[in-house]
Amino acid sequence: MTDEQTPAEEMPFEADDATQEIEALKLEVAQLKEQALRYAAEAENTKRRAEREMNDARAYAIQKFARDLLGAADNLGRATAHSPKDSTDPAVKNFIIGVEMTEKELQSAFERNGLKKIDPAKGDKFDPHLHQAVTEQPSTEVAAGGVLMVMQAGYELMGRLVRPAMVAVAAKGSTGPDAPAASANPYAGAAAEGDSSGGTFDAKA
C-alpha cells in the first residue's frame, strides 16, 4: 500500500462515521426537544394549579369573616322588619332610616364580595342544596314540598354554601296550586342522604 492510496481508501469509512454521528446527534436533539416540551408542559400545569389554588384561597378567605357577620345582618333584618314605620316621631323615623341604610350597605358589601343572600319566596320548590327544612305544615296555598316561610335567610359565597336558609315546608298532602300527583315526600331524600350542605329535615324542630 502506497502513501498516495491510503487517504482514498480511508474516506468511505470516515464518511460513514460522520453520517452515523450526525444521526446520533439528531436522535439526541429529538429526545432533548421532547424532554424540554414535557418539562414545559409540567411547568405550565404546575403554574395553572398554583394560580387556581391561589384564586380559591383568595376567593374564600373571607368565608369565616363573612359567617361571623351574618349574625349582625340577621339582627339588622329583624330590626327593620319590626320597626314602627308608622311612627310620627321624627327621631324614631330617622333612627329607622339609619338602620335600614346600614342593612342595605351591609348587604351591598356582601354582594360586592360574592356573598349572596338565599331568601326563597313563598311557594318556591324546596332545594336541599340551599335550604334546611326545620318544620313542615299542611297548606292550602303551597304545594307539598314548597317553601311556606323563611325563618332565617341563608347565604352562599361564590357558589359555595355558607349557611342554608332555614325554612318551613308544605307537608305531604298539601293542596296548594300545582301540587304534585305523587304522594311521596319530595324532600325526604335529603334527610336520608344526610346532605352535608344543610338540606336535612329536622323532624324534632
Side-chain angles (χ1 to χ4, degrees), residues 121-125 137-149 168-171 173-180:
K122 184 175 182 179
D124 284 355
K125 185 177 180 181
Q137 301 172 8
S139 173
T140 57
E141 299 179 353
V142 176
V147 174
L148 277 174
M149 177 177 57
V169 182
S174 293
T175 58
D178 301 324

Side-chain angles (χ1 to χ4, degrees), residues 90-170:
V92 174
K93 285 186 175 181
N94 289 334
F95 178 78
I96 294 173
I97 291 173
V99 173
E100 290 176 344
M101 291 178 63
T102 302
E103 183 189 15
K104 289 179 180 178
E105 181 58 31
L106 181 60
Q107 291 297 330
S108 296
F110 284 169
E111 292 178 3
R112 287 195 300 270
N113 289 276
L115 190 64
K116 181 180 177 182
K117 190 175 185 179
I118 304 172
D119 191 13
K122 184 175 182 179
D124 284 355
K125 185 177 180 181
F126 176 81
D127 185 347
H129 300 292
L130 299 176
H131 310 150
Q132 180 175 352
V134 296
T135 185
E136 61 175 343
Q137 301 172 8
S139 173
T140 57
E141 299 179 353
V142 176
V147 174
L148 277 174
M149 177 177 57
V150 178
M151 298 177 175
Q152 185 181 66
Y155 288 87
E156 60 179 353
L157 179 62
M158 298 181 182
R160 178 180 294 182
L161 187 66
V162 176
R163 186 182 74 183
M166 312 290 282
V167 300
V169 182

